[in-house]
Amino acid sequence: MNEHTPTNNGALQERKIPNRWILRGVLVMFLLLAGLMGHLLYLMGPTGAAAEVRIPRGSGAQAVGRLLEQAGLVRSGYLFALYLRFSGLDKALKPGFYRLEGRGIRAIALALTDPSRPLRVRITFPEGWRASEMAQRLSEHNLDGARFLELVNQPTPELRPPEAEGPTLEGYLFPATYEFPMDATPEEIIRTMTRRMAQEFTPEALERLHSLGLRSVHAWVTLASIVQAEAANPSEKPFIAGVFLNRLELGMPLQADPTVAYGLGKRLPELDRNAGDFSKDTPYNTYTRRGLPPGPIGNPGAEALRAVLNPIRTNEKGQRYLYFLHAQGRLFLNVDFEGHLRDTARYYR
């Protein structure tokens, strides 16, 4: 009877074999998935590197990822670009210079989309500096000083303020302390400085300007640049402005040494009277030519600009100041040439 009884062992064995393969397949898939996830986490994780990178304007996610991979900040630039796109951060990328650490894809992405993160440079331009000196300082801070000076000397119509009547933008680059992005273009720097200068051209200032007999803002800025160059301290500026305004009104030559130096491309201490510097005629030589030079000889600050608008033109007797002399740390003023000669002989013997 038993030998004819059917058994289910073979069927059970047949069912167990596929189940084992399914389990093994699931296990393999799990291990592959875990390995893939581990590799992704590795690619997305910190690299331990640190670097400064420049993100150019208009760079997309792929270009940024490639830059970061080359700098060793991420392990996969492609994966970084994917992260930016899927997170929507690619639209918020901020160009500029960054000092970054390889702290992982997410941390770097947040740094590159934070408006406060791009590196900036703080630059101070002293009052009275020429554009050539400003250009040199820009170059010292790794900005394009050469192009800046080229544009100042040959400005495009878009960069020229309406008040600038001279051949260059000298005089309209307001001297102050600025913060620029480290990828700031010369055009952006010039616009920032000329816009700051334009803040000085208030309606009240323009009204006062015309009452002094100065025909334009350009004349005001030009005279202020000469006052700036002549004055040893702020207290002298209104007196020097008064002397020059009186001379202009009377048709006398200004005879300002800094204008001679500017016209010759020299610094003031380099002037040599014995070599004939003061008799060499240039458009800026106020010994050989009457009136104001064609444009500013430097970039005046707010004090010099306001001194021209609020000059001290007369002594207590109402006599006009026409001469001044620096000697022994003081400013000596005179209403006539004889007095000026006496002071010169007394303090320069």
Short mmCIF file of all heavy atoms in Angstrom, two decimals, residues 112-176:
data_model
loop_
_atom_site.label_atom_id
_atom_site.label_comp_id
_atom_site.label_asym_id
_atom_site.label_seq_id
_atom_site.Cartn_x
_atom_site.Cartn_y
_atom_site.Cartn_z
N LEU A 112 27.14 79.12 -1.53
CA LEU A 112 27.17 79.77 -2.84
C LEU A 112 25.87 80.49 -3.17
O LEU A 112 25.81 81.23 -4.16
CB LEU A 112 27.46 78.74 -3.92
CG LEU A 112 28.85 78.10 -3.91
CD1 LEU A 112 28.98 77.08 -5.01
CD2 LEU A 112 29.93 79.16 -4.05
N THR A 113 24.85 80.29 -2.38
CA THR A 113 23.57 80.97 -2.62
C THR A 113 23.22 81.96 -1.52
O THR A 113 22.13 82.52 -1.51
CB THR A 113 22.43 79.93 -2.76
OG1 THR A 113 22.42 79.06 -1.61
CG2 THR A 113 22.62 79.09 -4.01
N ASP A 114 24.16 82.19 -0.62
CA ASP A 114 23.98 83.15 0.46
C ASP A 114 24.55 84.50 0.01
O ASP A 114 25.75 84.61 -0.23
CB ASP A 114 24.70 82.66 1.72
CG ASP A 114 24.51 83.60 2.91
OD1 ASP A 114 24.00 84.72 2.71
OD2 ASP A 114 24.88 83.21 4.03
N PRO A 115 23.71 85.54 -0.10
CA PRO A 115 24.21 86.84 -0.60
C PRO A 115 25.33 87.43 0.23
O PRO A 115 26.10 88.24 -0.26
CB PRO A 115 22.96 87.74 -0.54
CG PRO A 115 21.80 86.81 -0.51
CD PRO A 115 22.28 85.58 0.20
N SER A 116 25.44 87.06 1.49
CA SER A 116 26.46 87.65 2.36
C SER A 116 27.80 86.92 2.28
O SER A 116 28.76 87.37 2.88
CB SER A 116 25.97 87.64 3.81
OG SER A 116 25.86 86.30 4.29
N ARG A 117 27.88 85.84 1.53
CA ARG A 117 29.08 85.03 1.56
C ARG A 117 30.20 85.41 0.59
O ARG A 117 31.36 85.20 0.90
CB ARG A 117 28.71 83.56 1.34
CG ARG A 117 28.07 82.90 2.53
CD ARG A 117 28.99 82.91 3.75
NE ARG A 117 30.23 82.19 3.51
CZ ARG A 117 30.38 80.89 3.69
NH1 ARG A 117 29.38 80.16 4.12
NH2 ARG A 117 31.54 80.32 3.44
N PRO A 118 29.90 85.94 -0.62
CA PRO A 118 31.04 86.23 -1.52
C PRO A 118 32.04 87.16 -0.86
O PRO A 118 31.66 88.10 -0.16
CB PRO A 118 30.37 86.89 -2.72
CG PRO A 118 28.96 86.41 -2.69
CD PRO A 118 28.62 86.26 -1.23
N LEU A 119 33.32 86.91 -1.10
CA LEU A 119 34.38 87.73 -0.50
C LEU A 119 34.34 89.13 -1.08
O LEU A 119 34.12 89.34 -2.27
CB LEU A 119 35.74 87.10 -0.78
CG LEU A 119 36.00 85.73 -0.14
CD1 LEU A 119 37.38 85.24 -0.53
CD2 LEU A 119 35.87 85.79 1.37
N ARG A 120 34.54 90.12 -0.23
CA ARG A 120 34.56 91.51 -0.62
C ARG A 120 35.87 92.13 -0.15
O ARG A 120 36.51 91.63 0.77
CB ARG A 120 33.36 92.26 -0.03
CG ARG A 120 32.03 91.68 -0.46
CD ARG A 120 30.86 92.38 0.21
NE ARG A 120 30.67 93.74 -0.26
CZ ARG A 120 29.99 94.05 -1.35
NH1 ARG A 120 29.44 93.11 -2.10
NH2 ARG A 120 29.84 95.30 -1.72
N VAL A 121 36.25 93.21 -0.79
CA VAL A 121 37.48 93.90 -0.43
C VAL A 121 37.13 95.33 -0.02
O VAL A 121 36.30 95.98 -0.65
CB VAL A 121 38.49 93.88 -1.61
CG1 VAL A 121 37.91 94.54 -2.85
CG2 VAL A 121 39.79 94.53 -1.22
N ARG A 122 37.75 95.78 1.05
CA ARG A 122 37.50 97.12 1.58
C ARG A 122 38.68 98.01 1.19
O ARG A 122 39.83 97.72 1.54
CB ARG A 122 37.36 97.04 3.11
CG ARG A 122 36.94 98.34 3.78
CD ARG A 122 36.79 98.09 5.28
NE ARG A 122 36.41 99.28 6.00
CZ ARG A 122 35.17 99.70 6.19
NH1 ARG A 122 34.16 99.00 5.69
NH2 ARG A 122 34.91 100.80 6.88
N ILE A 123 38.40 99.09 0.46
CA ILE A 123 39.45 99.96 -0.06
C ILE A 123 39.15 101.40 0.32
O ILE A 123 38.03 101.88 0.15
CB ILE A 123 39.54 99.85 -1.60
CG1 ILE A 123 39.78 98.40 -2.01
CG2 ILE A 123 40.66 100.74 -2.13
CD1 ILE A 123 39.86 98.21 -3.52
N THR A 124 40.18 102.09 0.81
CA THR A 124 40.07 103.51 1.14
C THR A 124 40.86 104.33 0.14
O THR A 124 42.04 104.07 -0.11
CB THR A 124 40.60 103.79 2.56
OG1 THR A 124 39.79 103.08 3.51
CG2 THR A 124 40.55 105.28 2.88
N PHE A 125 40.20 105.33 -0.44
CA PHE A 125 40.85 106.28 -1.33
C PHE A 125 40.91 107.63 -0.62
O PHE A 125 39.87 108.25 -0.39
CB PHE A 125 40.06 106.44 -2.64
CG PHE A 125 39.90 105.16 -3.41
CD1 PHE A 125 38.67 104.53 -3.50
CD2 PHE A 125 40.98 104.57 -4.05
CE1 PHE A 125 38.51 103.37 -4.21
CE2 PHE A 125 40.84 103.39 -4.76
CZ PHE A 125 39.60 102.78 -4.84
N PRO A 126 42.09 108.11 -0.25
CA PRO A 126 42.20 109.39 0.45
C PRO A 126 41.75 110.56 -0.41
O PRO A 126 41.81 110.52 -1.64
CB PRO A 126 43.70 109.49 0.77
CG PRO A 126 44.19 108.08 0.75
CD PRO A 126 43.39 107.40 -0.32
N GLU A 127 41.31 111.62 0.26
CA GLU A 127 40.87 112.84 -0.43
C GLU A 127 42.02 113.44 -1.21
O GLU A 127 43.16 113.50 -0.73
CB GLU A 127 40.33 113.85 0.58
CG GLU A 127 39.08 113.38 1.31
CD GLU A 127 38.60 114.41 2.31
OE1 GLU A 127 39.34 115.35 2.63
OE2 GLU A 127 37.45 114.27 2.79
N GLY A 128 41.72 113.88 -2.41
CA GLY A 128 42.72 114.52 -3.24
C GLY A 128 43.51 113.60 -4.14
O GLY A 128 44.27 114.07 -4.99
N TRP A 129 43.35 112.29 -3.97
CA TRP A 129 44.11 111.37 -4.80
C TRP A 129 43.73 111.52 -6.26
O TRP A 129 42.58 111.76 -6.61
CB TRP A 129 43.85 109.93 -4.36
CG TRP A 129 44.88 109.43 -3.41
CD1 TRP A 129 45.67 110.17 -2.59
CD2 TRP A 129 45.22 108.07 -3.17
NE1 TRP A 129 46.50 109.35 -1.85
CE2 TRP A 129 46.24 108.05 -2.19
CE3 TRP A 129 44.77 106.85 -3.67
CZ2 TRP A 129 46.81 106.88 -1.71
CZ3 TRP A 129 45.33 105.68 -3.21
CH2 TRP A 129 46.34 105.70 -2.23
N ARG A 130 44.74 111.34 -7.13
CA ARG A 130 44.49 111.30 -8.56
C ARG A 130 43.95 109.93 -8.95
O ARG A 130 44.14 108.94 -8.24
CB ARG A 130 45.77 111.58 -9.33
CG ARG A 130 46.38 112.95 -9.07
CD ARG A 130 47.71 113.10 -9.80
NE ARG A 130 48.35 114.39 -9.52
CZ ARG A 130 49.54 114.74 -9.99
NH1 ARG A 130 50.22 113.89 -10.75
NH2 ARG A 130 50.05 115.92 -9.69
N ALA A 131 43.32 109.88 -10.12
CA ALA A 131 42.79 108.61 -10.61
C ALA A 131 43.90 107.57 -10.77
O ALA A 131 43.68 106.38 -10.55
CB ALA A 131 42.07 108.82 -11.94
N SER A 132 45.10 108.01 -11.16
CA SER A 132 46.21 107.08 -11.33
C SER A 132 46.58 106.40 -10.01
O SER A 132 46.93 105.21 -9.99
CB SER A 132 47.43 107.80 -11.90
OG SER A 132 47.81 108.89 -11.07
N GLU A 133 46.48 107.13 -8.90
CA GLU A 133 46.77 106.54 -7.60
C GLU A 133 45.67 105.56 -7.19
O GLU A 133 45.94 104.51 -6.59
CB GLU A 133 46.91 107.65 -6.56
CG GLU A 133 48.10 108.56 -6.79
CD GLU A 133 48.09 109.78 -5.88
OE1 GLU A 133 47.17 110.61 -6.00
OE2 GLU A 133 49.00 109.89 -5.03
N MET A 134 44.43 105.92 -7.52
CA MET A 134 43.31 105.03 -7.22
C MET A 134 43.46 103.72 -8.00
O MET A 134 43.20 102.63 -7.47
CB MET A 134 42.00 105.71 -7.56
CG MET A 134 41.66 106.89 -6.67
SD MET A 134 40.14 107.72 -7.20
CE MET A 134 39.79 108.75 -5.75
N ALA A 135 43.87 103.83 -9.25
CA ALA A 135 44.06 102.64 -10.08
C ALA A 135 45.12 101.72 -9.48
O ALA A 135 44.98 100.49 -9.47
CB ALA A 135 44.44 103.05 -11.50
N GLN A 136 46.19 102.32 -8.99
CA GLN A 136 47.25 101.53 -8.38
C GLN A 136 46.75 100.79 -7.15
O GLN A 136 47.06 99.61 -6.95
CB GLN A 136 48.43 102.43 -8.01
CG GLN A 136 49.62 101.66 -7.43
CD GLN A 136 50.80 102.57 -7.13
OE1 GLN A 136 50.85 103.72 -7.57
NE2 GLN A 136 51.76 102.06 -6.38
N ARG A 137 45.95 101.46 -6.35
CA ARG A 137 45.42 100.80 -5.14
C ARG A 137 44.47 99.66 -5.52
O ARG A 137 44.46 98.62 -4.87
CB ARG A 137 44.72 101.81 -4.24
CG ARG A 137 44.08 101.19 -3.01
CD ARG A 137 44.03 102.11 -1.83
NE ARG A 137 45.36 102.38 -1.28
CZ ARG A 137 45.57 103.10 -0.18
NH1 ARG A 137 44.54 103.63 0.47
NH2 ARG A 137 46.79 103.30 0.26
N LEU A 138 43.68 99.86 -6.56
CA LEU A 138 42.80 98.78 -7.01
C LEU A 138 43.63 97.56 -7.43
O LEU A 138 43.29 96.42 -7.10
CB LEU A 138 41.93 99.25 -8.17
CG LEU A 138 40.81 100.23 -7.82
CD1 LEU A 138 40.18 100.79 -9.08
CD2 LEU A 138 39.75 99.57 -6.96
N SER A 139 44.71 97.81 -8.16
CA SER A 139 45.57 96.71 -8.60
C SER A 139 46.19 95.98 -7.41
O SER A 139 46.36 94.76 -7.44
CB SER A 139 46.67 97.23 -9.53
OG SER A 139 46.12 97.78 -10.70
N GLU A 140 46.52 96.73 -6.37
CA GLU A 140 47.09 96.11 -5.16
C GLU A 140 46.11 95.17 -4.49
O GLU A 140 46.51 94.27 -3.75
CB GLU A 140 47.53 97.21 -4.18
CG GLU A 140 48.74 98.01 -4.66
CD GLU A 140 48.98 99.26 -3.82
OE1 GLU A 140 48.15 99.51 -2.91
OE2 GLU A 140 49.96 99.97 -4.07
N HIS A 141 44.82 95.38 -4.75
CA HIS A 141 43.78 94.52 -4.18
C HIS A 141 43.24 93.54 -5.22
O HIS A 141 42.12 93.02 -5.08
CB HIS A 141 42.64 95.36 -3.61
CG HIS A 141 43.01 96.06 -2.33
ND1 HIS A 141 43.70 97.25 -2.30
CD2 HIS A 141 42.79 95.73 -1.03
CE1 HIS A 141 43.87 97.62 -1.05
NE2 HIS A 141 43.33 96.73 -0.26
N ASN A 142 44.03 93.29 -6.27
CA ASN A 142 43.71 92.30 -7.29
C ASN A 142 42.46 92.64 -8.10
O ASN A 142 41.79 91.75 -8.64
CB ASN A 142 43.55 90.90 -6.65
CG ASN A 142 44.82 90.42 -6.00
OD1 ASN A 142 45.90 90.54 -6.58
ND2 ASN A 142 44.71 89.89 -4.80
N LEU A 143 42.14 93.93 -8.18
CA LEU A 143 41.10 94.39 -9.09
C LEU A 143 41.78 95.01 -10.32
O LEU A 143 42.97 95.29 -10.30
CB LEU A 143 40.19 95.39 -8.39
CG LEU A 143 39.34 94.79 -7.26
CD1 LEU A 143 38.66 95.89 -6.45
CD2 LEU A 143 38.29 93.84 -7.82
N ASP A 144 41.01 95.23 -11.36
CA ASP A 144 41.60 95.64 -12.65
C ASP A 144 41.84 97.14 -12.67
O ASP A 144 41.09 97.91 -13.27
CB ASP A 144 40.66 95.21 -13.79
CG ASP A 144 41.34 95.29 -15.15
OD1 ASP A 144 42.44 95.88 -15.24
OD2 ASP A 144 40.77 94.77 -16.13
N GLY A 145 42.94 97.57 -12.05
CA GLY A 145 43.27 98.98 -11.99
C GLY A 145 43.64 99.56 -13.35
O GLY A 145 43.33 100.71 -13.64
N ALA A 146 44.28 98.76 -14.19
CA ALA A 146 44.69 99.25 -15.50
C ALA A 146 43.47 99.62 -16.36
O ALA A 146 43.43 100.68 -16.99
CB ALA A 146 45.55 98.21 -16.21
N ARG A 147 42.49 98.75 -16.37
CA ARG A 147 41.27 99.03 -17.14
C ARG A 147 40.49 100.18 -16.52
O ARG A 147 39.89 101.00 -17.23
CB ARG A 147 40.41 97.76 -17.20
CG ARG A 147 39.09 97.92 -17.95
CD ARG A 147 39.30 98.33 -19.38
NE ARG A 147 38.03 98.42 -20.10
CZ ARG A 147 37.84 99.09 -21.21
NH1 ARG A 147 38.86 99.74 -21.77
NH2 ARG A 147 36.66 99.12 -21.81
N PHE A 148 40.49 100.25 -15.19
CA PHE A 148 39.84 101.36 -14.49
C PHE A 148 40.41 102.70 -14.96
O PHE A 148 39.66 103.61 -15.33
CB PHE A 148 40.05 101.19 -12.98
CG PHE A 148 39.68 102.38 -12.14
CD1 PHE A 148 38.38 102.56 -11.68
CD2 PHE A 148 40.65 103.33 -11.78
CE1 PHE A 148 38.05 103.65 -10.90
CE2 PHE A 148 40.32 104.42 -11.00
CZ PHE A 148 39.02 104.58 -10.55
N LEU A 149 41.73 102.80 -14.99
CA LEU A 149 42.37 104.06 -15.40
C LEU A 149 42.10 104.35 -16.87
O LEU A 149 41.89 105.51 -17.26
CB LEU A 149 43.87 103.98 -15.13
CG LEU A 149 44.65 105.28 -15.34
CD1 LEU A 149 44.12 106.39 -14.45
CD2 LEU A 149 46.13 105.06 -15.08
N GLU A 150 42.08 103.32 -17.69
CA GLU A 150 41.79 103.50 -19.11
C GLU A 150 40.40 104.08 -19.31
O GLU A 150 40.20 105.00 -20.11
CB GLU A 150 41.91 102.15 -19.82
CG GLU A 150 41.66 102.19 -21.31
CD GLU A 150 41.73 100.82 -21.94
OE1 GLU A 150 42.44 99.94 -21.40
OE2 GLU A 150 41.07 100.61 -22.98
N LEU A 151 39.42 103.58 -18.54
CA LEU A 151 38.05 104.08 -18.66
C LEU A 151 37.90 105.47 -18.07
O LEU A 151 37.09 106.26 -18.54
CB LEU A 151 37.09 103.11 -17.97
CG LEU A 151 36.85 101.79 -18.70
CD1 LEU A 151 36.07 100.82 -17.81
CD2 LEU A 151 36.11 102.02 -20.01
N VAL A 152 38.67 105.78 -17.03
CA VAL A 152 38.63 107.13 -16.46
C VAL A 152 39.17 108.14 -17.48
O VAL A 152 38.61 109.23 -17.65
CB VAL A 152 39.45 107.20 -15.15
CG1 VAL A 152 39.65 108.65 -14.71
CG2 VAL A 152 38.73 106.41 -14.05
N ASN A 153 40.24 107.77 -18.16
CA ASN A 153 40.86 108.69 -19.12
C ASN A 153 40.10 108.77 -20.44
O ASN A 153 40.15 109.81 -21.12
CB ASN A 153 42.30 108.27 -19.38
CG ASN A 153 43.20 108.54 -18.18
OD1 ASN A 153 42.93 109.45 -17.39
ND2 ASN A 153 44.23 107.75 -18.01
N GLN A 154 39.41 107.70 -20.79
CA GLN A 154 38.60 107.68 -22.02
C GLN A 154 37.24 107.06 -21.71
O GLN A 154 36.94 105.94 -22.12
CB GLN A 154 39.32 106.89 -23.11
CG GLN A 154 40.64 107.50 -23.55
CD GLN A 154 41.32 106.70 -24.64
OE1 GLN A 154 41.26 105.47 -24.67
NE2 GLN A 154 41.97 107.38 -25.55
N PRO A 155 36.41 107.80 -20.96
CA PRO A 155 35.14 107.22 -20.51
C PRO A 155 34.14 107.02 -21.65
O PRO A 155 34.09 107.82 -22.59
CB PRO A 155 34.62 108.26 -19.51
CG PRO A 155 35.26 109.55 -19.94
CD PRO A 155 36.60 109.18 -20.49
N THR A 156 33.39 105.95 -21.54
CA THR A 156 32.30 105.74 -22.48
C THR A 156 31.15 106.67 -22.11
O THR A 156 31.06 107.15 -20.98
CB THR A 156 31.82 104.28 -22.41
OG1 THR A 156 31.33 104.02 -21.07
CG2 THR A 156 32.95 103.31 -22.72
N PRO A 157 30.24 106.95 -23.04
CA PRO A 157 29.11 107.83 -22.72
C PRO A 157 28.29 107.35 -21.53
O PRO A 157 27.78 108.17 -20.76
CB PRO A 157 28.28 107.81 -24.01
CG PRO A 157 29.26 107.49 -25.09
CD PRO A 157 30.26 106.56 -24.46
N GLU A 158 28.19 106.04 -21.35
CA GLU A 158 27.40 105.51 -20.25
C GLU A 158 28.03 105.78 -18.89
O GLU A 158 27.33 105.86 -17.88
CB GLU A 158 27.21 103.99 -20.40
CG GLU A 158 26.44 103.56 -21.64
CD GLU A 158 27.30 103.62 -22.90
OE1 GLU A 158 28.55 103.61 -22.78
OE2 GLU A 158 26.71 103.69 -24.01
N LEU A 159 29.36 105.94 -18.87
CA LEU A 159 30.06 106.15 -17.60
C LEU A 159 30.22 107.63 -17.26
O LEU A 159 30.52 107.97 -16.11
CB LEU A 159 31.44 105.50 -17.64
CG LEU A 159 31.49 103.97 -17.62
CD1 LEU A 159 32.93 103.48 -17.73
CD2 LEU A 159 30.84 103.42 -16.36
N ARG A 160 30.04 108.50 -18.22
CA ARG A 160 30.32 109.93 -18.00
C ARG A 160 29.14 110.60 -17.30
O ARG A 160 28.03 110.64 -17.83
CB ARG A 160 30.60 110.62 -19.33
CG ARG A 160 30.87 112.12 -19.19
CD ARG A 160 31.11 112.75 -20.54
NE ARG A 160 32.39 112.36 -21.11
CZ ARG A 160 33.54 112.91 -20.79
NH1 ARG A 160 33.59 113.90 -19.90
NH2 ARG A 160 34.67 112.51 -21.33
N PRO A 161 29.37 111.17 -16.10
CA PRO A 161 28.32 111.94 -15.44
C PRO A 161 27.99 113.19 -16.26
O PRO A 161 28.88 113.74 -16.93
CB PRO A 161 28.94 112.33 -14.09
CG PRO A 161 30.11 111.42 -13.92
CD PRO A 161 30.60 111.10 -15.29
N PRO A 162 26.77 113.66 -16.23
CA PRO A 162 26.42 114.84 -17.03
C PRO A 162 27.21 116.08 -16.64
O PRO A 162 27.39 116.99 -17.45
CB PRO A 162 24.92 115.02 -16.76
CG PRO A 162 24.65 114.25 -15.51
CD PRO A 162 25.63 113.13 -15.49
N GLU A 163 27.70 116.14 -15.41
CA GLU A 163 28.44 117.32 -14.94
C GLU A 163 29.88 117.35 -15.43
O GLU A 163 30.54 118.40 -15.41
CB GLU A 163 28.45 117.37 -13.41
CG GLU A 163 27.07 117.47 -12.77
CD GLU A 163 26.40 116.12 -12.60
OE1 GLU A 163 27.03 115.08 -12.91
OE2 GLU A 163 25.23 116.10 -12.18
N ALA A 164 30.40 116.20 -15.84
CA ALA A 164 31.82 116.10 -16.21
C ALA A 164 32.04 116.69 -17.61
O ALA A 164 31.73 116.05 -18.61
CB ALA A 164 32.28 114.65 -16.16
N GLU A 165 32.61 117.88 -17.66
CA GLU A 165 32.84 118.55 -18.94
C GLU A 165 34.26 118.36 -19.46
O GLU A 165 34.55 118.69 -20.61
CB GLU A 165 32.56 120.05 -18.80
CG GLU A 165 31.13 120.38 -18.37
CD GLU A 165 30.94 121.85 -18.07
OE1 GLU A 165 31.85 122.65 -18.40
OE2 GLU A 165 29.90 122.21 -17.49
N GLY A 166 35.14 117.87 -18.61
CA GLY A 166 36.54 117.71 -19.02
C GLY A 166 36.74 116.45 -19.83
O GLY A 166 35.81 115.66 -20.05
N PRO A 167 37.95 116.22 -20.27
CA PRO A 167 38.23 115.05 -21.12
C PRO A 167 38.20 113.73 -20.36
O PRO A 167 38.07 112.67 -20.97
CB PRO A 167 39.63 115.34 -21.65
CG PRO A 167 40.25 116.25 -20.64
CD PRO A 167 39.12 117.09 -20.11
N THR A 168 38.33 113.76 -19.03
CA THR A 168 38.38 112.54 -18.24
C THR A 168 37.35 112.61 -17.11
O THR A 168 36.61 113.58 -16.97
CB THR A 168 39.79 112.34 -17.63
OG1 THR A 168 39.96 113.26 -16.53
CG2 THR A 168 40.88 112.57 -18.66
N LEU A 169 37.36 111.55 -16.28
CA LEU A 169 36.49 111.53 -15.11
C LEU A 169 37.23 111.95 -13.84
O LEU A 169 36.69 111.81 -12.74
CB LEU A 169 35.91 110.12 -14.91
CG LEU A 169 35.04 109.58 -16.04
CD1 LEU A 169 34.48 108.21 -15.68
CD2 LEU A 169 33.92 110.54 -16.37
N GLU A 170 38.44 112.46 -14.00
CA GLU A 170 39.19 112.97 -12.85
C GLU A 170 38.33 114.01 -12.13
O GLU A 170 37.73 114.89 -12.74
CB GLU A 170 40.48 113.62 -13.32
CG GLU A 170 41.43 114.00 -12.20
CD GLU A 170 42.30 112.85 -11.76
OE1 GLU A 170 43.40 112.67 -12.32
OE2 GLU A 170 41.87 112.12 -10.83
N GLY A 171 38.27 113.89 -10.81
CA GLY A 171 37.49 114.82 -10.01
C GLY A 171 36.13 114.29 -9.62
O GLY A 171 35.53 114.76 -8.65
N TYR A 172 35.63 113.30 -10.36
CA TYR A 172 34.28 112.79 -10.11
C TYR A 172 34.28 111.42 -9.45
O TYR A 172 33.24 110.79 -9.31
CB TYR A 172 33.49 112.76 -11.43
CG TYR A 172 33.25 114.15 -11.95
CD1 TYR A 172 34.17 114.76 -12.80
CD2 TYR A 172 32.14 114.88 -11.56
CE1 TYR A 172 33.99 116.05 -13.26
CE2 TYR A 172 31.95 116.18 -12.01
CZ TYR A 172 32.87 116.76 -12.85
OH TYR A 172 32.68 118.05 -13.28
N LEU A 173 35.45 110.98 -9.01
CA LEU A 173 35.60 109.70 -8.31
C LEU A 173 35.69 110.03 -6.82
O LEU A 173 36.76 110.32 -6.30
CB LEU A 173 36.86 108.98 -8.79
CG LEU A 173 36.95 108.81 -10.32
CD1 LEU A 173 38.34 108.37 -10.73
CD2 LEU A 173 35.90 107.81 -10.80
N PHE A 174 34.56 109.98 -6.14
CA PHE A 174 34.52 110.48 -4.77
C PHE A 174 35.44 109.68 -3.87
O PHE A 174 35.36 108.45 -3.79
CB PHE A 174 33.09 110.42 -4.24
CG PHE A 174 32.92 111.16 -2.95
CD1 PHE A 174 32.74 112.54 -2.94
CD2 PHE A 174 32.95 110.50 -1.73
CE1 PHE A 174 32.59 113.23 -1.76
CE2 PHE A 174 32.80 111.19 -0.53
CZ PHE A 174 32.62 112.56 -0.55
N PRO A 175 36.35 110.37 -3.16
CA PRO A 175 37.28 109.66 -2.27
C PRO A 175 36.60 109.26 -0.97
O PRO A 175 36.06 110.09 -0.25
CB PRO A 175 38.38 110.70 -2.03
CG PRO A 175 37.69 112.02 -2.20
CD PRO A 175 36.60 111.82 -3.21
N ALA A 176 36.60 107.97 -0.70
CA ALA A 176 35.93 107.44 0.49
C ALA A 176 36.40 106.00 0.68
O ALA A 176 37.26 105.51 -0.05
CB ALA A 176 34.41 107.51 0.34
#
